[in-house]
Amino acid sequence: MSEKYGKLQQQFLCCYPVNKMAWSSVKLPLNWDEQQELLAATCGHPMNRRHPVRRSYLEAFLKQLMHLLKDQEDVHDDIYSRLCGGLGEGKGSGSGSGSGTSYAYKHYLISPGAHITLRECNSFVSEGTTGLCTWEAALALADYVLQHRDLVSGKNIVELGAGAGLVGILLKLPGLELKTGQVLLTDGSEPCVQLMRENIALNFHNTPVEEMPQAEQLDWDAVAEFPWKSHADTDLLLAADVIYDDSQFDALLGALDYFYTRRGGQLETLLASTVRNVDTLHKFMTLLGLHGYKVTPCANVSACASHFCRDHTAAVQIISIRR
Ligand SMILES: C[S@@+](CC[C@H](N)C(=O)[O-])C[C@H]1O[C@@H](n2cnc3c(N)ncnc32)[C@H](O)[C@@H]1O
């Protein structure tokens, strides 16, 4: 696969905003073969042909490419034909689930030999949840885990509010060899749990069940009723972008109290939050203190060390919680 267009490829496959893509890596003019190479690295990539990104994203990408080539005499026919709907390959571009919700795929290229394909909802809020797509805080948490592999190695891990499943899937991805113990992805929303299971199936072909993450429905209010006996003791809790609605704070703290009452000092929680409203985050931090938790801020992974295409200007706060 094209080295020359590697960054654009990584960005295209995970639907990184078209106006922020590494277009400066494209040295103009592009001859016919180079245009073909660029298309093969992006829309023609086998992952995209099998599980396409959303149609509106593809169109925005192709329009930007045509704009880039506007001063050239030769613009490859494939650019026009793909833009005019000639794609016709693969399945599920903008496809519905039968519920009227529209879904498409994103591919997160993490390192050579390690990538995650996720089916995600095309809207930020759908079916009564915000969890059917991947949020910035999940990417930041995934980056943090990849930089601190010792934090997850040998640990039995539960993810709360796991949404589409990126972090939990990454923890068990064979190509990354993170050597985690049992990984349980949970969410209170049933559509999220269905989507996580679908995404687990997409990423773990021919993998023995015990080597795969599991996904179960878990509402923070009902943590005590969950059949924990059939799961290993939890060493690490993870959660990304779950601090935005203060009506859920009591439930989340109740869930944390439940875990820490069982595991005490053996348990650590890593919580990644996008800083949208400082007051909301501050309120949660105050409640953590009142519940007897010690909070340690963790350094975010810098843009140059990041394994993901993400917006490093968006403030994401990662904290470690212990009691
Ligand atoms: C903004 S999404 C974040 C999803 C994912 N962690 C990410 O960062 O991409 C918040 C998630 O928390 C879940 N959630 C919210 N309140 C919950 C509760 N009381 N119990 C369990 N899950 C809850 C939602 O269903 C949703 O999937």
Side-chain angles (χ1 to χ4, degrees):
M1 199 40 71
S2 168
E3 281 291 313
K4 195 156 58 172
Y5 302 118
K7 194 67 202 168
L8 278 180
Q9 175 179 81
Q10 190 192 19
Q11 292 174 334
F12 172 85
L13 289 173
C14 71
C15 300
Y16 191 68
V18 159
N19 60 348
K20 296 183 180 167
M21 289 176 89
W23 293 109
S24 59
S25 64
V26 179
K27 300 291 168 243
L28 296 175
L30 282 190
N31 66 31
W32 193 264
D33 288 344
E34 288 167 327
Q35 290 180 45
Q36 198 149 28
E37 192 183 342
L38 196 157
L39 287 175
T42 52
C43 6
H45 190 287
M47 284 183 204
N48 187 56
R49 289 184 10 214
R50 190 165 157 80
H51 296 300
V53 301
R54 64 174 193 279
R55 177 76 203 164
S56 59
Y57 181 81
L58 174 75
E59 285 174 10
F61 171 82
L62 291 170
K63 282 179 186 163
Q64 188 71 31
L65 180 58
M66 282 175 71
H67 180 73
L68 192 77
L69 304 179
K70 66 182 185 315
D71 296 327
Q72 292 197 198
E73 275 176 19
D74 266 0
V75 175
H76 204 293
D77 295 343
D78 275 3
I79 301 179
Y80 295 111
S81 60
R82 285 173 191 272
L83 191 56
C84 295
L87 191 63
E89 302 153 334
K91 55 170 180 151
S93 184
S95 66
S97 64
S99 59
T101 305
S102 130
Y103 288 85
Y105 295 91
K106 289 187 182 179
H107 310 275
Y108 301 90
L109 305 186
I110 301 166
S111 57
H115 69 268
I116 294 177
T117 292
L118 294 186
R119 186 167 181 258
E120 297 190 19
C121 182
N122 292 334
S123 3
F124 289 123
V125 184
S126 186
E127 303 199 42
T129 177
T130 50
L132 297 170
C133 58
T134 300
W135 293 81
E136 193 71 18
L139 300 176
L141 185 57
D143 255 339
Y144 188 78
V145 162
L146 287 172
Q147 275 237 323
H148 301 85
R149 300 167 71 99
D150 51 315
L151 287 178
V152 296
S153 175
K155 304 274 175 71
N156 297 313
I157 303 171
V158 172
E159 186 180 357
L160 301 174
L166 176 102
V167 176
I169 288 173
L170 171 127
L171 292 170
K172 280 286 183 197
L173 208 62
L176 294 175
E177 293 185 12
L178 289 168
K179 301 187 170 66
T180 50
Q182 286 187 11
V183 173
L184 176 63
L185 289 77
T186 72
D187 202 284
S189 144
E190 209 199 319
C192 284
V193 178
Q194 276 177 22
L195 185 64
M196 283 192 277
R197 288 184 178 151
E198 204 175 314
N199 283 334
I200 289 170
L202 266 178
N203 289 282
F204 295 89
H205 312 281
N206 309 320
T207 308
V209 166
E210 59 279 9
E211 296 300 324
M212 290 163 63
Q214 305 300 309
E216 298 291 347
Q217 190 166 7
L218 173 68
D219 202 298
W220 305 329
D221 262 336
V223 73
E225 284 95 71
F226 190 83
W228 292 112
K229 281 205 177 90
S230 34
H231 297 271
D233 285 340
T234 309
D235 306 306
L236 181 67
L237 280 177
L238 297 178
D241 210 347
V242 294
I243 311 299
Y244 52 92
D245 175 3
D246 59 6
S247 72
Q248 296 301 306
F249 285 3
D250 284 346
L252 181 55
L253 280 156
L256 290 183
D257 288 347
Y258 177 84
F259 281 103
Y260 280 88
T261 302
R262 290 158 61 100
R263 301 290 288 147
Q266 288 166 290
L267 180 64
E268 178 178 17
T269 300
L270 291 175
L271 176 68
S273 311
T274 295
V275 185
R276 299 189 184 90
N277 182 331
V278 179
D279 292 341
T280 309
L281 263 186
H282 184 255
K283 185 173 172 185
F284 188 72
M285 295 302 147
T286 306
L287 287 170
L288 280 175
L290 291 173
H291 280 242
Y293 293 105
K294 277 193 305 229
V295 170
T296 312
C298 306
N300 230 305
V301 172
S302 66
C304 56
S306 175
H307 289 81
F308 294 91
C309 302
R310 61 186 184 92
D311 178 6
H312 288 266
T313 58
V316 177
Q317 179 196 70
I318 303 178
I319 57 169
S320 158
I321 303 170
R322 285 199 177 268
R323 184 142 83 178

